[in-house]
Amino acid sequence: MRNDYDIAVVGGGLLGSAIAWGLGRIGQRVVVLDEGDVTKRASRANFALVWVQSKGLGMPAYTVWTVRASETWAQLAAELKDQTGLDVCLQRNGGFHLALSEGELEQRANTLKRLHNQVGAADYQVEVMDRDRVAAMLPAIGPEVVGGTFCPLDGHVNSLRTFRAFHTGFKAFGVDYRPEHPVTAIAQSGGEFRLATPKGEIRAGKVVLAAGNANQALAPMVGLHAPMGPTRGQIVVTERTLPFLPHPLTTIRQTDEGTVMIGDSKEDLLDDSGLDLSISTVMADRARRTFPLLGRLNVVRTWSGIRVMPKDGFPVYDQSESHPGAFVACCHSGVTLASNHAYALAPMIAAGQLDGPQVGAFTGRRFAAATSTGSGYY
């Protein structure tokens, strides 16, 4: 195998895979350097939503970026299926956030109003619905549901199949995948990057850091800044049942295989080897109150996972001034933003320049500015 490439992508999770696929699609010679299956990937522990509503409070550019991703996801799903034969089961017919009290519904409506009123935010439609309107679209709701919000741009996919499709697809484009190649050091000399791994050195003209929370340690090696604030989340999965949920919720969705996924937790604990059953109990109880039929189903598996999370919750896309050709990409919403990473970010990286207002707001330099002004993190 060769060891010199146009671009080395560090990280083979969903984010790195989408970028590598996008780079291979336009003819770049790419290698993906990955820890391999020993990695506890967020890509294997996520909730698989393609989600727009409620994202971007505090950074209006994120609403524009998220809407763009939602609108190009159908193209991505079709192209992956044509190339690999794998159907990622994209469903994009709108999603709900449901409220179990009038106070919850009022708080949700106020949050969305604040988000919509931000200067520069995308003007997408989110409806506040009363119980009757929700019941017309979700007949299985329980008596405690008082209403909810609905966005027609929301949806979900089979995220594990998406992950597999990206890997299958980028290999078909000629991208080299190197598991068991965690990057331990990066240096630049003679117009190329030299990346040290336990299995030897890799050389590349450009490097993209897409290694999730590990970017915090890798970014300073090339003069970049990627402060991370990971959290732990838990997911509960039921046995298969007949279709009853035609639209995903922020915290409940029925998969294409018939199981029901429930996820609504956030912990500062960063150990994903165990579970807090008191949290799972609360999540399951709220889900049962939302859809009483869930009370009849068995739980077949549950897990915890560490979220990739920039310090302020918003994506970081940046390029290095001190090490030209080095880029960093961090985000929490690796599923939602996958189409942007493949179709928009990858060509910019290949061209050597992150261009335009669509990514300019996401520079890591914003963290230094927040610190210097004493404003802290959002």
Side-chain angles (χ1 to χ4, degrees), residues 118-307:
Q118 296 177 115
V119 176
D123 187 17
Y124 62 87
Q125 182 181 10
V126 180
E127 296 182 74
V128 179
M129 296 185 174
D130 61 20
R131 176 184 169 81
D132 289 342
R133 292 186 65 197
V134 172
M137 298 175 71
L138 300 174
I141 59 171
E144 292 186 64
V145 176
V146 301
T149 59
F150 175 79
C151 177
L153 301 182
D154 292 334
H156 59 146
V157 297
N158 184 316
S159 62
L160 291 181
R161 197 172 299 157
T162 301
F163 183 55
R164 180 184 169 197
F166 273 132
H167 272 249
T168 302
F170 72 54
K171 289 177 184 178
F173 286 139
V175 172
D176 283 344
Y177 175 65
R178 303 281 189 96
E180 301 177 5
H181 277 69
V183 172
T184 57
I186 307 172
Q188 187 181 32
S189 64
E192 66 178 2
F193 290 91
R194 297 177 179 269
L195 297 95
T197 81
K199 294 196 172 184
E201 185 180 81
I202 304 295
R203 301 193 305 273
K206 300 185 184 75
V207 61
V208 183
L209 304 179
N213 293 316
N215 276 350
Q216 179 160 285
L218 292 169
M221 297 180 186
V222 290
L224 289 167
H225 193 45
M228 307 298 288
T231 59
R232 187 175 84 167
Q234 295 185 187
I235 290 178
V236 173
V237 184
T238 74
E239 63 186 319
R240 292 178 175 87
T241 189
L242 293 174
F244 76 96
L245 189 52
H247 302 272
L249 277 63
T250 46
T251 58
I252 307 169
R253 73 181 192 94
Q254 187 168 24
T255 72
D256 57 287
E257 299 170 335
T259 61
V260 179
M261 294 183 70
I262 301 163
D264 184 19
S265 68
K266 181 179 179 181
E267 305 169 78
D268 291 333
L269 185 67
L270 299 182
D271 177 10
D272 62 357
S273 63
L275 296 164
D276 186 332
L277 295 181
S278 66
I279 292 175
S280 298
T281 299
V282 172
M283 293 193 307
D285 181 64
R286 184 178 176 92
R288 177 196 57 80
R289 291 163 62 197
T290 305
F291 296 104
L293 63 83
L294 294 177
R296 305 196 301 266
L297 301 181
N298 292 313
V299 171
V300 295
R301 61 186 179 274
T302 183
W303 66 80
S304 65
I306 306 304
R307 296 184 178 95

Side-chain angles (χ1 to χ4, degrees), residues 366-378:
R366 69 181 185 265
F367 297 104
T371 301
S372 65
T373 59
S375 59
Y377 298 126
Y378 170 74

Side-chain angles (χ1 to χ4, degrees), residues 67-86:
V67 168
R68 172 178 176 158
S70 174
E71 291 176 341
T72 53
W73 238 105
Q75 176 189 346
L76 177 61
E79 194 167 342
L80 286 172
K81 186 174 183 180
D82 288 345
Q83 183 195 29
T84 68
L86 295 168

